[in-house]
Amino acid sequence: MKIQNTIEIKLQDAFDANILQVENESHKHSVPPNSETHFKVTMVSPAFAGQMKVRRHQAIYKVLSEELEMAGGVHALALHLYSPEEWEATGQEVPASPNCMGGSKADRQPAASGAQNPGVENQDGGHL
């Protein structure tokens, strides 16, 4: 089963979501074709009512721990989590994802002067 399908099933089962949209955004990043590493999740669930954002995120991470921890699994999750009331207040709009701000270390070239351009990297040496 594809990772995206697994994410959809696990989240729907765990949160009884009114709305669940899982988008594979891997193609926007410096990964091989057909990768399933970067996802945007928009979910509306009564389970989020009265919960702070950090608790909502922790709940998602717990449900998807296997996909987040496996080698070659999910590298990034953009989470947009709402209670039904919050969703109504947003005008029911899914936030746009920002463009990838870089590539892999292999893509970086030394500056013309011979000095290296350190660029911006995250902890694992990849893009931000």
Side-chain angles (χ1 to χ4, degrees), residues 75 103-108 118 120-128:
H75 170 76
S104 69
K105 283 176 110 173
D107 294 339
R108 294 199 174 86
V120 178
E121 298 180 357
N122 63 14
Q123 290 177 343
D124 65 1
H127 65 279
L128 288 178

Side-chain angles (χ1 to χ4, degrees), residues 72-93:
V74 176
H75 170 76
L77 279 175
L79 300 175
H80 305 285
L81 311 172
Y82 306 94
S83 69
E85 295 76 20
E86 291 166 337
W87 180 244
E88 289 294 325
T90 68
Q92 302 175 355
E93 295 244 353

Side-chain angles (χ1 to χ4, degrees), residues 3-128:
I3 293 174
Q4 182 171 351
N5 294 344
T6 300
I7 291 170
E8 291 168 346
I9 290 166
K10 284 186 170 186
L11 293 179
Q12 185 63 48
D13 289 349
F15 296 96
D16 192 28
N18 297 354
I19 297 171
L20 176 61
Q21 184 176 357
V22 179
E23 298 175 61
N24 183 351
E25 295 188 330
S26 301
H27 65 280
K28 296 179 179 181
H29 300 275
S30 189
V31 297
N34 302 315
S35 291
E36 289 191 290
T37 56
H38 295 69
F39 291 93
K40 177 165 96 173
V41 175
T42 304
M43 183 167 33
V44 179
S45 173
F48 298 139
Q51 264 190 355
M52 294 180 63
K53 187 182 282 191
V54 70
R55 294 283 183 221
R56 297 173 189 190
H57 286 226
Q58 289 169 338
I60 299 295
Y61 300 149
K62 183 176 180 180
V63 170
L64 299 179
S65 63
E66 186 176 325
E67 289 71 26
L68 292 165
E69 293 171 2
M70 69 184 199
V74 176
H75 170 76
L77 279 175
L79 300 175
H80 305 285
L81 311 172
Y82 306 94
S83 69
E85 295 76 20
E86 291 166 337
W87 180 244
E88 289 294 325
T90 68
Q92 302 175 355
E93 295 244 353
V94 176
S97 296
N99 291 326
C100 180
M101 296 299 292
S104 69
K105 283 176 110 173
D107 294 339
R108 294 199 174 86
Q109 301 294 322
S113 67
Q116 293 217 354
N117 179 358
V120 178
E121 298 180 357
N122 63 14
Q123 290 177 343
D124 65 1
H127 65 279
L128 288 178

